[in-house]
Amino acid sequence: MSATDASTDAGTASAPRRSHPAMSHASRTEAVPAPKPGPGSGFDSEDTLDLRVPPGFMTLCAKEKTSRGGPAAPTPAGDSGEAPAAPLAVSQDNDLLGPLADWGPTTTPAGAFHLLPVRLDRDLPLLTRWMNDPTVAVFWQLAGDEAVTEAHLRAQLAGDGRSVPCLGVLDGTPMSYWEIYRADLDPLARHYPARPHDTGIHLLIGEVAARGRGLGSTLLRAVADLVLDRRPSCARVLAEPDLRNTPSIAAFLSAGFRLSAEVDLPGKRAALMVRDRVLRDLL
């Protein structure tokens, strides 16, 4: 296995930060005031909220006012001098993650890979075994009996859908655990300039036999591409591995992520890794 995949060989490519394993994904980070990034802050140079009036918004307002008997508002012209045809459609996934169960498999150099949302009745014993692997437990901190892992999973499964725990299945064999989450709705957003629909990932490769085969970067790239393909509103995929886990950071870099910043999170100093939609064909 290459050095870029050593993080997944240890089962800790991107473990979530937490204050208590039974807390929900959104509450596992204590409330910390957001930094105010500026020039030279180490963050991407951008505002935390990039708010724009969607195309056709003024047209919609004009139609609404006219229907109520009021005067029509002026319609803004685009660069061509023509008014936009229609407003942006409202997201059908309630601005969360949508139905991951419908994402389907994706083809990778290592085989067919499928993200399956976790089912406790099917997956709890397997995930508990993985969480008790010493190399995994160092970062995930979920070692213990099934009740510990179950509490961690139920906190997400009973939530509003902003974090979805998934089993990673390669050529029909369960071999990894993933969490796909809305980074912009997570406490992580307090620590970096978040954009709407930023999507985060956590990963561990659970099966020892699946480690050491160069799967880390391959699967990280595949899942990041899957997120971008299935979520058109998402412009970038993020992860926050422990800064001390240099093999993990190398795996993300090899998978097309870039190091955006170093951020202080409860329990760790993390490397904020970003996979940009606009750079996906270049990195």
Side-chain angles (χ1 to χ4, degrees), residues 120-129 131-132 142-154:
L120 287 176
D121 60 335
R122 177 192 65 194
D123 305 324
L124 183 58
L126 176 65
L127 293 176
T128 299
R129 175 167 64 83
M131 292 300 180
N132 280 278
L142 289 172
D145 59 22
E146 285 191 354
V148 177
T149 302
E150 181 178 0
H152 175 78
L153 296 171
R154 283 193 183 279

Side-chain angles (χ1 to χ4, degrees), residues 9-89:
D9 186 50
T12 55
S14 179
R17 67 242 156 260
R18 57 178 53 79
S19 57
H20 191 283
M23 293 184 180
S24 68
H25 187 277
S27 64
R28 273 181 275 145
T29 305
E30 62 191 43
V32 178
K36 298 180 179 180
S41 65
F43 294 99
D44 291 337
S45 179
E46 59 198 18
D47 293 332
T48 299
L49 293 178
D50 185 14
L51 299 178
R52 295 184 176 91
V53 177
F57 180 79
M58 295 303 296
T59 302
L60 183 64
C61 291
K63 291 180 180 178
E64 177 68 14
K65 182 172 287 188
T66 300
S67 68
R68 295 181 180 179
T75 301
D79 293 339
S80 64
E82 298 179 357
L88 292 177

